[in-house]
Amino acid sequence: MPDAPYRDARLPARRRAEDLLARLGTDEKIALLHQHAPALPRLGLAAHTTGTEALHGVSWLGPATSYPQAVGLGATWDRALVRRVGEAVSTEVRAFHERPAAPGRAPIGLNVWAPVVNPLRHPLWGRNEEGYAEDPLLTAELAVAYSHGLRGDHPVYWRTAPTLKHFLGYNNEDDRTSTSSDLRPRVLHEYELPCYRGPVEAGAVAAVMPSYNVVNGRPAHVSPYIKDELRRWKHGADLVVCSDAEAPSNLVAAQRYFDDHAEGHGAALQAGVDSFTDHGTDSPVTIARLTEALERGLVTEAEIDAAVLRQLLMRINTGELDPELDPYAGTGQDVVGCDAHRDLARQAARQAVVLLRNTDGLLPLPAAGTVAVLGPLGDDVLRDWYSGSLLHRTTLLDALRERLGADRVTYTDGLDRIALRSTSTGGYLTAGPDGSLAATGHQAGPAESFAVQDWGHGVSTLQAHDGRYLTKDGYGVLTATADHPDEWVVQETFRLERGEDGRVRIQHLGTGHWVAVAAGSGALTTYASARAQAEPFAVRTVSAGAEQAARLAAGADAVVVVVGNDPHINGRETEDRIDLHLPPQQEEILRAARAANPRTVLAVVSSYPYAVDWADAEVPAVLWTAHGGQEGGRALADVLLGDHSPAGRLPQTWYRAGQRLPGLLDYDIITARTTYLYLDDEPLYPFGHGLSYTEFRYGPLSARIDGGHATASLTVANTGARAGAEVVQLYSRTPDAPVATPLRRLQGFERIELAAGEEREVSFRVPLAALGRYDAAHGRWTVDPGRCTLAAGASSTDLRSTAELTLDGPAPQPRPGLGTPLVARDFDEATGVRIVDRTRESGEAVEAGADGPGRLAFHAVDLGGGATAAVLGVSRTVPGPAVVELHLGGAVTRIEVPSTGGRYAWTTAGAELAAPVKGVHDLHVVLRGAVRLDGIAFTG
């Protein structure tokens, strides 16, 4: 159909998409709703797929340039750099897209699933590495930069179509498909939504992915916030909502929110999901469910049309119908891993390094002398789940030896080597040249020596003498053939459990089975289902790693101890961390090195913060970097040797050991006094912290109100002897607000490069609205009148220049109490309650459990000329009554709530007030017993 309007590139994309939609049959439209959409040859549409992973490089498709983890990119605080990384990654995606598709498959898709904009609220979150920052502004700004890079600069065609992940309230992995994140209105509007709104309203994203979890009692994939928030924002109406993998089935399976899959899929479509990522490439399952939903009247064809239209718009915008006009079409394979991208990867990894501590000028290391590199991460480059395949890897040891010479750099991983002797065979466990394992060795030689790496909490890995990891093959047999721990279910981790007999039994954690020795061959298997069937091994220590580390440290002029995590172990997707401690074995190596040589540097290479209190007190220099990708080793060497002055800044708070942390499911940062915004305690290292090899002086801060903005400026000078970069940060505080507001809130940041002796004026322009808060009492954003302190500095606690402004916002008004029901969810304070769904489709309420009273507080409720009665909106599933107490005006009114027979069986319960109340009062509500409350209406 060469003359059809949808083929006419001169027409607006929407007109073309509408024409194409009108030519589709119902079955064709439903088929397009699955992630793997079929080709439609009669219309010239190719097979299409959503979801190319591109978080910090192209993932899962073969070798590609690998950049620092997203949290490392966050540590750069550099919009321009992050945008360039996005441009490079999307250019390589285009190259993969140009490769011939496998038979029966679509080309590599141009809808990329990145960036992740979940704020890094809690340092124990298993997917901490995927986000940019703890702060919503920094998260949004870097997401805008990365998304613009992914999108490209062409006014019509998109290089790729970015997808924001994961909407909404998603910061826990344990039981992630069934846990509910309680987002009270202020947390929702002040902390969570801004991370998404910035990139959406910048016109930089094409899609959004809902999260696996439940939000306020309702699965995120059927959340009304998709329509009520995302799709109402500027540029939000055409966002494609792509489900996360298997999430549509979870609505029935894991979450049990709907009775059958047709109902669940239909509800997801109605809520706004446009692309169903479910059952892998087996699209007929999804097609059948959606077809049934249509036949049963659970969805309308108009709703299907709306979802398909959004997908067609995205495909037209990425040039699918206009290859001759698409400026990104035909991207060559030579861009993958090209020199420019390799240089960019090194630059990004350099800028991600954060210098946390540097006493006595230990860093940079002098050009002369010897260096001992210690620790298992000193000679390794680790990938995470979204790293992709590395084109090459350069470890820190490699980089230092390249620079200083192999004779000046010594190394040990600091791991203990052990020999394992089988009780049943009497032989030592031996690794053959092909990686085969058998308990047949006659003596403990090199082939019988295995390095044990204790990752903490009973999780260890074992490596043969050639560095290969012990792993389980597809038949349940152990071999020493793995390069690294990998795969969705890691097969390279073990628990070594010592029994009362002094022998060790080994549990394979990937299966939960125990290691046995096969009769005859002596091969190791994971066939033992119980500990009693496990093979007992006698353990002999061949060499003590910490002792070797101490010997090398004592003989070197300087020591670099490299510690951190493996992104596949003890904290990753599906698994949250337990605590903030370094693995004990790594702590032992560090302490042994420091005892042997005071000139010790600690380099933490990790996906998340650690509580390194001892190191902060005892080790003169401490650095942190996220896993830096292919160039991470060279970048760290550049900083250690002074070729690059560090300018990375922490994108999240590093807490002290034992410092109070809220539960992972406590999303109320205001009540919990958590994140740098509300933290009252002094952390180990604050948000925004990072040192340099030079010094910067901050001049006075001047500020004024200019229309709808506050402007601030100051002069920053490099007073040191070498060039360096400073990240100038601007924070605000509004002490006169009538409710708890942040102690400090980031309002702007600028990364500036200054030569020695150079100074520069830095200016900020802050919307006055950004100095406000969400007013839950009236359901609106407001700016409170009164003082506003602006402060500029080098971190959230190192604030060196301040200025005062007076804001002229509307005076706070009491909460209407007569004529307008109080919405229970819009409380000012609460304990002992959860926010829950009022119905499956919409609305929210609060719920108290049977194990203790729930309490709500509503401040400054205006009851006008007088209230004499109250009516509650309630539901209650369990038999028997519950009681709701209204503490108002010095009197207590008790209202009994009967069982209503179901959580959605709402009714009213009312009573005369114990005493008439007029004027403005605080209302305290106590819920005794298992009861749901959606609102309180007072009458006069």
Side-chain angles (χ1 to χ4, degrees):
M1 301 180 183
D3 297 327
Y6 76 89
R7 286 290 188 188
D8 189 348
R10 297 169 298 178
L11 295 176
R14 179 172 295 278
R15 172 73 181 87
R16 301 175 71 188
E18 290 171 344
D19 177 71
L20 182 52
L21 177 68
R23 299 171 188 274
L24 297 173
T26 300
D27 291 347
E28 291 173 319
K29 288 186 285 190
I30 292 176
L32 293 179
L33 297 178
H34 190 261
Q35 178 191 22
H36 297 279
L40 298 175
R42 70 180 184 85
L43 296 171
L45 287 182
H48 180 268
T49 184
T50 58
T52 296
E53 298 290 357
L55 183 60
H56 55 107
V58 181
S59 302
W60 307 354
L61 299 178
T65 308
S66 178
Y67 298 88
Q69 293 177 305
V71 70
L73 294 176
T76 70
W77 290 59
D78 190 333
R79 301 175 185 88
L81 174 71
V82 172
R83 180 167 181 156
R84 289 172 57 206
V85 172
E87 291 170 352
V89 172
S90 63
T91 298
E92 294 196 10
V93 170
R94 276 286 183 160
F96 279 96
H97 177 72
E98 293 294 330
R99 295 180 180 179
R105 301 293 298 273
I108 299 303
L110 296 178
N111 167 236
V112 294
W113 285 357
V116 171
V117 293
N118 301 104
L120 303 182
R121 172 189 61 91
H122 203 294
L124 298 182
W125 182 33
R127 297 179 78 171
N128 189 86
E129 66 207 25
E130 297 183 34
Y132 289 127
E134 175 180 334
D135 176 77
L137 175 69
L138 180 56
T139 295
E141 292 276 302
L142 296 182
V144 168
Y146 193 69
S147 297
H148 270 310
L150 292 172
R151 182 205 185 284
D153 296 325
H154 195 274
V156 176
Y157 297 104
W158 295 44
R159 185 161 44 224
T160 61
T163 303
L164 298 180
K165 298 163 61 175
H166 310 82
F167 189 81
L168 182 70
Y170 175 42
N171 279 140
N172 65 281
E173 293 304 300
D174 296 344
D175 301 319
R176 63 181 180 174
T177 60
S178 57
T179 57
S180 182
S181 305
D182 284 11
L183 300 180
R184 58 184 284 196
R186 282 197 60 198
V187 174
L188 175 71
H189 289 276
E190 295 176 20
Y191 191 67
E192 287 280 343
L193 291 179
C195 300
Y196 302 86
R197 189 165 192 159
V200 170
E201 295 200 333
V205 297
V208 172
M209 176 185 287
S211 50
Y212 279 119
N213 55 292
V214 176
V215 178
N216 292 352
R218 185 181 290 109
H221 278 72
V222 292
S223 172
Y225 291 124
I226 294 173
K227 288 184 176 178
D228 294 347
E229 293 293 340
L230 283 173
R231 291 236 167 96
R232 292 186 180 181
W233 297 339
K234 180 182 177 182
H235 301 305
D238 294 330
L239 288 172
V240 174
V241 175
C242 300
S243 86
D244 210 336
E246 311 308 316
S249 288
N250 284 344
L251 293 169
V252 174
Q255 294 164 338
R256 300 179 181 176
Y257 199 72
F258 296 101
D259 294 331
D260 60 65
H261 289 295
E263 187 181 0
H265 280 50
L269 183 73
Q270 285 189 320
V273 174
D274 304 310
S275 176
F276 288 72
T277 312
D278 213 1
H279 283 80
T281 59
D282 189 9
S283 60
V285 176
T286 294
I287 291 170
R289 292 171 177 177
L290 289 169
T291 300
E292 182 183 345
L294 179 63
E295 292 170 348
R296 289 168 53 183
L298 301 175
V299 297
T300 66
E301 188 141 1
E303 289 167 330
I304 292 172
D305 287 351
V308 174
L309 180 66
R310 284 187 283 265
Q311 288 209 49
L312 293 176
L313 274 170
M314 181 176 68
R315 293 173 67 170
I316 290 170
N317 287 337
T318 50
E320 181 175 337
L321 299 182
D322 311 316
E324 72 285 355
L325 298 176
D326 179 4
Y328 308 115
T331 299
Q333 299 305 303
D334 57 339
V335 303
V336 178
C338 65
D339 289 346
H341 291 180
R342 183 171 180 169
D343 291 344
L344 179 61
R346 186 169 181 175
Q347 181 185 354
R350 276 178 160 187
Q351 291 187 201
V353 178
V354 182
L355 180 59
L356 300 174
R357 171 178 167 83
N358 190 25
T359 60
D360 303 323
L362 179 56
L363 291 178
L365 297 175
T370 58
V371 178
V373 178
L374 311 178
L377 275 68
D379 190 27
D380 211 347
V381 176
L382 297 178
R383 301 165 53 247
D384 64 32
W385 186 243
Y386 295 103
S387 290
S389 302
L390 301 183
L391 286 160
H392 69 273
R393 61 180 75 210
T394 302
T395 70
L396 175 62
L397 179 63
D398 294 333
L400 289 176
R401 284 178 170 171
E402 285 176 5
R403 288 289 311 280
L404 303 178
D407 58 326
R408 290 176 51 200
V409 183
T410 58
Y411 173 73
T412 180
D413 57 23
L415 303 179
D416 293 341
R417 263 68 180 174
I418 63 172
L420 296 165
R421 189 169 189 175
S422 166
T423 299
S424 61
T425 69
Y428 285 99
L429 180 62
T430 299
D434 60 352
S436 60
L437 295 170
T440 57
H442 299 298
Q443 60 184 4
E448 290 73 37
S449 176
F450 295 87
V452 183
Q453 186 158 185
D454 179 0
W455 294 100
H457 304 291
V459 180
S460 296
T461 53
L462 295 165
Q463 291 171 265
H465 64 286
D466 62 358
R468 298 280 183 167
Y469 285 81
L470 271 61
T471 187
K472 181 189 74 69
D473 69 11
Y475 300 98
V477 176
L478 294 187
T479 62
T481 54
D483 290 332
H484 286 90
D486 206 350
E487 302 304 325
W488 184 251
V489 178
V490 175
Q491 301 296 332
E492 294 79 29
T493 52
F494 301 87
R495 175 173 287 109
L496 279 61
E497 185 177 296
R498 188 177 295 276
E500 293 181 359
D501 58 2
R503 298 180 183 272
V504 166
R505 278 84 173 167
I506 303 174
Q507 185 180 28
H508 178 254
L509 298 179
T511 59
H513 291 181
W514 294 81
V515 173
V517 173
S521 68
L524 268 63
T525 73
T526 56
Y527 297 158
S529 58
R531 183 184 183 280
Q533 302 166 338
E535 177 72 16
F537 290 93
V539 179
R540 170 185 163 190
T541 300
V542 176
S543 62
E547 292 178 5
Q548 174 68 4
R551 283 194 292 271
L552 290 187
D557 295 309
V559 180
V560 180
V561 181
V562 191
V563 302
N565 76 306
D566 184 311
H568 296 87
I569 299 173
N570 284 355
R572 49 158 291 171
E573 186 169 357
T574 73
E575 180 185 5
D576 292 311
R577 283 201 293 168
I578 295 174
D579 57 40
L580 296 173
H581 302 311
L582 280 173
Q585 187 179 41
Q586 296 185 14
E587 186 85 25
E588 182 185 14
I589 296 168
L590 172 64
R591 293 185 182 225
R594 174 61 181 83
N597 190 331
R599 291 179 57 78
T600 293
V601 178
L602 173 63
V604 182
V605 181
S606 68
S607 307
Y608 32 61
Y610 282 107
V612 289
D613 299 54
W614 184 87
D616 184 65
E618 301 293 337
V619 178
V622 181
L623 305 98
W624 169 74
T625 181
H627 293 281
Q630 64 187 48
E631 300 296 331
R634 284 197 176 91
L636 188 53
D638 290 340
V639 173
L640 290 169
L641 299 176
D643 294 340
H644 176 78
S645 179
R649 301 294 182 263
L650 288 181
Q652 62 188 131
T653 303
W654 281 42
Y655 294 89
R656 295 182 180 276
Q659 195 162 10
R660 178 186 56 83
L661 285 175
L664 264 167
L665 290 177
D666 187 353
Y667 282 75
D668 187 353
I669 63 171
I670 301 172
T671 302
R673 309 298 296 174
T674 190
T675 75
Y676 87 95
L677 294 159
Y678 292 95
L679 185 66
D680 299 303
D681 302 335
E682 182 183 355
L684 182 63
Y685 301 120
F687 172 77
H689 172 69
L691 304 177
S692 172
Y693 291 156
T694 187
E695 298 291 333
F696 298 95
R697 183 186 67 240
Y698 282 64
L701 181 69
S702 62
R704 64 187 180 91
I705 294 176
D706 181 11
H709 291 78
T711 62
S713 61
L714 75 163
T715 298
V716 177
N718 180 351
T719 58
R722 61 173 294 168
E726 174 72 327
V727 178
V728 184
Q729 303 163 40
L730 183 72
Y731 294 86
S732 70
R733 185 177 185 184
T734 51
D736 294 336
V739 297
T741 55
L743 299 175
R744 78 281 300 166
R745 177 163 56 177
L746 185 69
Q747 296 292 355
F749 60 94
E750 293 295 334
R751 186 183 189 278
I752 57 172
E753 300 268 359
L754 295 176
E758 182 183 2
E759 66 178 38
R760 187 178 307 168
E761 183 176 77
V762 180
S763 298
F764 299 95
R765 186 170 172 83
V766 180
L768 291 181
L771 304 175
R773 61 177 175 88
Y774 186 78
D775 180 0
H778 299 88
R780 66 192 182 200
W781 194 268
T782 190
V783 176
D784 294 306
R787 293 171 296 159
C788 173
T789 301
L790 295 180
S795 80
S796 59
T797 61
D798 183 9
L799 299 174
R800 305 182 187 181
S801 298
T802 63
E804 296 287 335
L805 295 173
T806 300
L807 302 178
D808 294 326
Q813 298 297 312
R815 184 189 298 258
L818 278 178
T820 302
L822 299 180
V823 178
R825 174 210 60 193
D826 292 342
F827 53 79
D828 290 305
E829 298 171 16
T831 59
V833 299
R834 301 298 309 271
I835 303 177
V836 295
D837 54 337
R838 191 184 186 282
T839 70
R840 282 195 176 95
E841 296 76 28
S842 63
E844 293 172 351
V846 298
E847 179 181 58
D851 53 349
R855 301 179 186 275
L856 306 172
F858 301 86
H859 298 315
V861 179
D862 187 358
L863 298 174
T868 58
V871 177
L872 312 178
V874 291
S875 74
R876 177 169 163 77
T877 302
V878 297
V883 172
V884 176
E885 298 175 356
L886 305 180
H887 295 246
L888 183 65
V892 180
T893 301
R894 294 170 55 87
I895 302 176
E896 239 184 49
V897 179
S899 173
T900 65
R903 61 179 179 171
Y904 302 133
W906 290 91
T907 190
T908 57
E912 298 293 319
L913 295 181
V917 182
K918 62 180 179 179
V920 177
H921 295 266
D922 288 349
L923 168 66
H924 295 270
V925 182
V926 181
L927 289 74
R928 301 191 184 277
V931 61
R932 288 183 164 211
L933 174 69
D934 74 342
I936 307 168
F938 290 100
T939 58

